């Protein structure tokens, strides 16, 4: 069995959005929280890493990060690749990584599990 890690990228500033998009409420729940719940709902994923950047302390306080190693990409302003580098480094020894964005509030555990199933079938 291969180890597949989960990497949630949520380091952006939300400049065009007007503030931390990660904490915008969808159905009364922060956008980022929806993504974290979807990942938690797939036990096959592990380790799990959440990458924060801009306003990291505020975002971290606004969501439940249980089950995730939280990494702060200090160079988040360089773009998404900076977050990806920080997250991959924190994942450690995995065979694969599922990368999700922190602003996907409608992602669900069945969708995440389906992606894993498709990836397993591609071997």
């Amino acid at each position: 069995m291969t180890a597949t890690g989960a990497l949630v990228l949520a380091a952006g500033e939300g400049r065009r959005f007007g503030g931390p998009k990660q904490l915008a409420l969808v159905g009364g729940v922060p956008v980022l929280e929806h993504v974290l719940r979807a990942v938690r709902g797939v036990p096959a994923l592990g380790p799990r890493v959440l990458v924060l950047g801009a306003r990291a302390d505020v975002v971290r306080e606004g969501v439940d990060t249980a089950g995730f190693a939280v990494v702060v990409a200090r160079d988040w302003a360089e773009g998404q690749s900076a977050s990806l580098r920080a997250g991959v480094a924190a994942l450690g020894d995995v065979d694969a990584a599922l990368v999700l964005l922190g602003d996907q509030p409608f992602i669900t555990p069945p969708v995440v599990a389906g992606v894993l199933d498709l990836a397993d079938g591609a071997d």
Side-chain angles (χ1 to χ4, degrees):
M1 180 170 195
T2 62
T4 301
L7 183 53
V8 178
L9 305 181
E13 181 179 22
R15 186 180 67 247
R16 292 183 308 248
F17 188 76
K21 183 171 28 173
Q22 304 92 323
L23 299 179
L25 299 179
V26 173
V29 176
V31 167
L32 178 56
E33 184 69 34
H34 286 279
V35 179
L36 300 179
R37 288 178 182 179
V39 172
R40 276 192 214 102
V42 181
L45 284 172
R48 300 172 183 155
V49 173
L50 168 63
V51 181
L52 300 177
R55 301 180 188 93
D57 292 340
V58 172
V59 173
R60 190 175 196 163
E61 289 175 16
V63 296
D64 178 8
T65 61
F68 285 82
V70 179
V71 175
V72 177
R74 300 284 175 210
D75 55 350
W76 63 268
E78 292 179 18
Q80 203 169 59
S81 63
S83 301
L84 188 58
R85 282 191 305 270
V88 168
L91 272 176
D93 189 23
V94 296
D95 298 303
L98 179 62
V99 179
L100 300 102
L101 303 180
D103 60 357
Q104 298 174 299
F106 302 111
I107 193 131
T108 63
V111 169
V112 174
V115 171
L116 291 180
D117 289 344
L118 287 172
D120 282 344
D123 292 341

